[in-house]
Amino acid sequence: MIEWKVEYILFGVIAFQWLVYLWNEYLTFRQRRVVKRNKTVPQELSHVLDQETLEKARLYSLDKSTFGFWQGLWGEIEMTIILLLFALPWLWDVSGNVMVICGLTGDHEIVQSLIFMFFGSIYSLISGLPWSIYSTFVIEARHNFNKQTPGFFIKDTLKKFVVMLLIGMPILALLIYIVKIGGEYFFVYAWLFTLVFSLLLITIYPSYIAPLFDKFTKLPDGTLRTEIEKLADSVKFPLTELYLIEGSKRSAHSNAYFVGLIKKRIVLFDTLLAGFHPDNKPKEAPLDNPRVAQDGEAEPAEPRPDEPLMDETKSSKTLKGCTDEEALAVLGHELGHWKLWHMPKNFLISNINTLLCFAVFGLLYQRDEIYQAFGFENSKPILIGMFIIFQFIFGPYDMVLSFCMVILSRRFEFQADEFAIKLEKEGKLNNGGELLKSALLQLQKDNLSFPYTDWLFSTFNYSHPPILDRFRGIDEAKKRLLNKAS
């Protein structure tokens, strides 16, 4: 058996953490240099992207980069201090003292672990709150993305914290119990438990968890709904529900996704669609009989049938969000992910990785040196073993896996783009390729994404290819399909 020297383990972990941080900062430096140098619109986008929008995107990118640098630096310093001062064993002892005060004596490792998790979660919440506040109310607000009030932010943060504990603590308790009673093959039972729970979470999330944080309404009847249902039916997508999410109450950023294990629901952000984007509505819309929401915030009355949903005085260039045709192209891309089994493939990779991690954990978690290196001289708590092994010992492996998943994700994106073009060739999606490019550009403008990227930075960090690469990929896919047809 390999002998591990206790004095080397902790400092090796800290050194690797800092090496990873410095590597990421080097990549960020490369991207920041690209952002600083490029102040003109790319030639490929000169006909659709104006100089003012590019400059806004450039400044937004620089602000996020600066914020990310200081947040990342503090995170590394904070973790180094926690490890060097042996804060983990101290908090474990505090959790044990709280347990004794509550009248529990003897071996109650699961209870002590839950107390440890509770205190650790409170510390993480408090230590991360200043960064979250600054990001939301300074960075995002400065660039007109933040839509949250302080009250909404506080309630949302507390709800996330409570839901995380309500879900996380039972999972932790059952995992520790499985490790304790599972015997030699506990890692198989632990993996099966996480597999079943993840499937359960996928099933209940859309109906019971997501509505706790955002308002969902059925997409109104009309041309868009009809065309989406027609498109979904053409590829045999099992669409059961089509919802609009009030994302504009939280942020001006836009998104679309589908969820569900068997019965699928498509969810569109109101900021994705030009017809529902709040910034496109008339500035002086009447507010007859305003309602008061349950959270105490006023809500405008429902628009009258003759009231325009969009400000008709705005030109198409100033409207935010995608047209209905562009939104259909985006959904054609998303349906490609489903048709090509991208989600099941990711799910399979994730679960193989989970099984491997639990198996390696089973080989390591009883080793005294691992616990002693982090200050645990007289105990080997399972929770601490999980934290040390999964968070630190697996560091190099996680870095390699993360890089591979980014590469795979980019490949999936190109494949989904090509699927949307195939839908066009099959007559199921009108002008799918060009409309997809138009939609990507509109989302790029609305989200102030900077079009220039450093190749090394994007390779390690962008799960979605940069927009210029997407455009080239779409054009190449159209040529390939045209050559096959001929």
Side-chain angles (χ1 to χ4, degrees):
M1 183 176 291
I2 299 174
E3 292 188 6
W4 297 20
K5 292 189 176 181
V6 172
E7 59 270 24
Y8 292 161
I9 296 176
L10 178 60
F11 291 107
V13 165
I14 293 175
F16 180 78
Q17 293 285 112
W18 277 97
L19 283 174
V20 171
Y21 167 76
L22 292 174
W23 168 249
N24 289 330
E25 286 306 315
Y26 167 69
L27 296 177
T28 303
F29 166 76
R30 291 175 59 103
Q31 176 63 15
R32 188 177 178 87
R33 185 172 55 186
V34 168
V35 175
K36 284 186 173 181
R37 287 178 177 176
N38 291 279
K39 299 182 180 181
T40 57
V41 177
Q43 185 176 357
E44 299 94 325
L45 305 179
S46 59
H47 62 296
V48 286
L49 184 63
D50 59 85
Q51 187 63 40
E52 181 183 1
T53 302
L54 178 77
E55 183 62 16
K56 288 180 180 179
R58 197 177 74 88
L59 295 176
Y60 181 47
S61 181
L62 290 173
D63 277 354
K64 289 194 298 179
S65 176
T66 301
F67 174 78
F69 168 78
W70 291 112
Q71 184 183 32
L73 179 61
W74 168 248
E76 290 303 314
I77 293 173
E78 180 184 33
M79 182 54 67
T80 301
I81 293 173
I82 288 173
L83 295 179
L84 289 178
L85 294 182
F86 296 122
L88 295 179
W90 173 82
L91 184 58
W92 181 257
D93 291 340
V94 169
S95 302
N97 293 334
V98 170
M99 187 176 65
V100 172
I101 292 173
C102 294
L104 294 175
T105 58
D107 182 18
H108 293 280
E109 182 180 344
I110 294 178
V111 176
Q112 189 170 352
S113 297
L114 295 179
I115 297 172
F116 180 93
M117 177 184 177
F118 178 75
F119 286 148
S121 299
I122 290 178
Y123 172 79
S124 297
L125 175 67
I126 295 173
S127 64
L129 198 57
W131 298 102
S132 182
I133 291 173
Y134 189 87
S135 174
T136 302
F137 294 101
V138 178
I139 302 295
E140 295 296 299
R142 180 184 297 160
H143 298 277
N144 299 315
F145 283 120
N146 176 51
K147 304 300 180 182
Q148 301 182 59
T149 63
F152 180 91
F153 176 85
I154 293 172
K155 286 185 290 186
D156 197 53
T157 300
L158 291 176
K159 279 195 292 186
K160 289 177 181 176
F161 178 76
V162 172
V163 170
M164 183 270 294
L165 288 179
L166 290 177
I167 295 176
M169 295 181 82
I171 294 175
L172 175 63
L174 287 170
L175 276 177
I176 295 175
Y177 182 72
I178 290 171
V179 174
K180 292 175 77 71
I181 70 165
E184 183 179 0
Y185 297 102
F186 79 85
F187 64 92
V188 177
Y189 308 134
W191 169 70
L192 288 173
F193 167 71
T194 57
L195 173 63
V196 171
F197 180 81
S198 60
L199 292 173
L200 176 63
L201 192 60
I202 291 172
T203 303
I204 67 173
Y205 175 82
S207 300
Y208 299 101
I209 299 178
L212 295 174
F213 301 97
D214 294 294
K215 181 180 179 181
F216 291 78
T217 56
K218 290 189 176 182
L219 185 68
D221 292 334
T223 303
L224 178 59
R225 185 182 184 92
T226 301
E227 289 299 319
I228 291 176
E229 291 173 343
K230 180 181 176 182
L231 179 62
D233 184 64
S234 72
V235 296
K236 309 302 181 184
F237 180 76
L239 176 64
T240 56
E241 296 172 319
L242 187 53
Y243 280 95
L244 192 68
I245 181 175
E246 194 179 8
S248 57
K249 193 173 182 180
R250 185 186 306 275
S251 171
H253 291 294
S254 53
N255 197 6
Y257 62 90
F258 64 84
V259 291
L261 190 60
I262 299 175
K263 296 181 178 180
K264 305 290 185 182
R265 83 165 48 174
I266 291 178
V267 179
L268 306 172
F269 280 54
D270 57 355
T271 48
L272 175 70
L273 305 172
F276 294 91
H277 200 297
D279 289 356
N280 298 336
K281 294 179 181 179
K283 292 291 184 180
E284 298 182 0
L287 296 176
D288 299 331
N289 301 321
R291 303 187 309 273
V292 178
Q294 293 180 356
D295 58 7
E297 297 182 7
E299 294 182 351
E302 294 292 337
R304 295 189 299 268
D306 60 340
E307 185 181 345
L309 290 176
M310 293 190 295
D311 188 345
E312 297 177 348
T313 64
K314 291 187 176 183
S315 68
S316 60
K317 291 185 178 180
T318 59
L319 288 174
K320 293 185 177 181
C322 297
T323 64
D324 289 356
E325 294 78 9
E326 291 170 343
L328 282 172
V330 172
L331 288 176
H333 167 94
E334 296 299 328
L335 289 172
H337 285 306
W338 170 79
K339 194 70 173 180
L340 298 172
W341 290 71
H342 289 166
M343 274 65 73
K345 290 174 184 176
N346 280 329
F347 188 76
L348 177 63
I349 293 172
S350 174
N351 278 279
I352 291 175
N353 174 64
T354 302
L355 177 60
L356 174 64
C357 289
F358 275 127
V360 175
F361 171 77
L363 297 175
L364 299 178
Y365 86 105
Q366 292 284 19
R367 300 193 64 136
D368 296 337
E369 312 96 291
I370 291 178
Y371 298 90
Q372 292 169 3
F374 290 84
F376 290 85
E377 298 292 342
N378 302 314
S379 62
K380 294 187 292 184
I382 293 172
L383 170 62
I384 301 302
M386 289 181 178
F387 180 73
I388 294 173
I389 294 171
F390 293 150
Q391 181 74 18
F392 300 122
I393 306 300
F394 279 4
Y397 166 76
D398 286 339
M399 189 175 180
V400 173
L401 179 64
S402 176
F403 174 73
C404 292
M405 292 306 295
V406 168
I407 299 300
L408 181 63
S409 175
R410 291 162 73 102
R411 177 177 174 81
F412 284 170
E413 291 303 315
F414 284 124
Q415 290 177 347
D417 286 346
E418 185 168 348
F419 181 82
I421 299 170
K422 287 181 179 179
L423 291 178
E424 175 187 348
K425 299 301 181 183
E426 295 170 359
K428 299 175 182 177
L429 184 63
N430 294 329
N431 202 18
E434 291 305 312
L435 283 172
L436 181 58
K437 291 168 69 174
S438 176
L440 291 172
L441 179 60
Q442 184 63 48
L443 296 175
Q444 182 96 1
K445 292 166 61 177
D446 289 351
N447 292 300
L448 292 183
S449 301
F450 197 67
Y452 294 100
T453 56
D454 174 77
W455 71 271
L456 191 59
F457 175 85
S458 66
T459 299
F460 275 84
N461 290 279
Y462 285 1
S463 61
H464 287 56
I467 187 169
L468 295 179
D469 291 347
R470 293 281 291 275
F471 279 17
R472 297 185 192 106
I474 290 172
D475 291 338
E476 291 173 2
K478 291 174 71 173
K479 291 179 182 178
R480 283 197 304 271
L481 293 175
L482 185 61
N483 291 335
K484 287 183 179 180
S486 60

